[in-house]
Every structure is written in C-alpha cells, then in structure tokens.
C-alpha cells in the first residue's frame, strides 16, 4: 500500500525553525519529484516548494525563498522541508505530495498524483 506521511509540525514562535519530514512507504521516493503545499484557513492551497527526482534541483515560492530548503535522505526514503525564520503567515496545514511524471525540472510538481494527509504548522507568539 502506498503511504506518504508528514511529521515534524507543531507550534513555533516567529523567527523559529521547524523541519518537516515526508516519509514514504510502498514506493521509492527518490524516483519522483516531491512537493510541499500548504493551505491556511480561508485561503487557497498554494505550492511551497519542490525537489526533483534525485534531489539535484529545487524551487520555492517567492514567499519562502531564502528561508526554506529541501533535501532528500534516500536511505530513509524521506524528504525534508527545513523552515527557518518562520513568520505568522507561514501558519497552515502543510502537505507532502508526489509528482510521478515530472517530465522536466520546470514542470515538476505542477501535477500531483498522490497526497499526504497534511500536518499543522502554527507560527505564533
């Protein structure tokens, strides 16, 4: 059975850091592009970041660029989202997602084939 599970969320003060993990079972995560999305209450879902199969390329939304990074640990079949300098506007449910057919770096994470359940990140003083 395919599973995608997020962990590492919680409550953090503005300026703090969290590392989200996206762990897969039933498939090899390194073969595919992996994205992070988020949805805040009353707002539309937005793309946060994406990492290519193999992990050589990443992209980020302008709102998080310079603060967030992504990485892969293939031995653990896990992708990470390191979130630094967190702001209250980062508060949302964060979803890990898989693009099985990224085609190109430019198109990766534009189409999502499988979603995790989501995890809450709250940035508040």
């Amino acid at each position: 059975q395919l599973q995608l599970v997020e962990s590492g969320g919680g409550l953090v003060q503005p300026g703090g850091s969290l590392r989200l993990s996206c762990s897969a079972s039933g498939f090899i995560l390194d073969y595919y592009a992996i994205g992070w999305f988020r949805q805040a209450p009353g707002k539309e879902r937005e793309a946060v970041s994406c990492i290519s199969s193999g992990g050589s390329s990443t992209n980020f939304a302008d709102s998080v660029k310079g603060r967030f990074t992504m990485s892969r640990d293939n031995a653990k079949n896990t992708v990470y989202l390191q979130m630094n300098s967190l702001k209250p506007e980062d508060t949302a449910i964060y979803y890990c997602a898989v693009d099985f057919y990224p085609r190109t770096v430019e198109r990766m994470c534009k189409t999502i084939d499988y979603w995790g359940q989501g995890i809450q990140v709250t940035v508040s003083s």
Side-chain angles (χ1 to χ4, degrees):
Q1 184 179 3
L2 302 181
Q3 285 194 357
L4 204 60
V5 179
E6 302 95 337
S7 62
L11 174 65
V12 65
Q13 293 185 345
S17 298
L18 286 173
R19 189 180 73 165
L20 302 184
S21 298
C22 175
S23 297
S25 61
F27 61 99
I28 299 174
L29 209 55
D30 186 49
Y31 290 174
Y32 311 108
I34 308 299
W36 286 97
F37 296 76
R38 67 187 182 186
Q39 187 164 22
K43 294 198 171 187
E44 296 181 1
R45 183 183 64 201
E46 64 174 333
V48 175
S49 63
C50 189
I51 188 167
S52 64
S53 59
S56 61
S57 298
T58 56
N59 59 53
F60 299 90
D62 289 340
S63 59
V64 306
K65 201 169 296 181
R67 300 188 295 120
F68 291 10
T69 59
M70 287 190 71
S71 61
R72 289 178 176 267
D73 186 337
N74 294 332
K76 296 181 178 179
N77 209 22
T78 297
V79 168
Y80 302 100
L81 179 67
Q82 179 67 46
M83 305 185 296
N84 300 320
S85 301
L86 283 162
K87 305 175 181 180
E89 65 196 74
D90 296 316
T91 296
I93 298 175
Y94 283 70
Y95 299 89
C96 179
V98 180
D99 180 1
F100 288 124
Y101 312 101
R103 298 182 65 186
T104 64
V105 171
E106 291 75 20
R107 290 188 173 189
M108 64 182 186
C109 297
K110 301 301 183 183
T111 301
I112 298 300
D113 301 293
Y114 198 82
W115 296 87
Q117 294 299 306
I119 190 165
Q120 181 69 47
V121 171
T122 302
V123 185
S124 177
S125 59

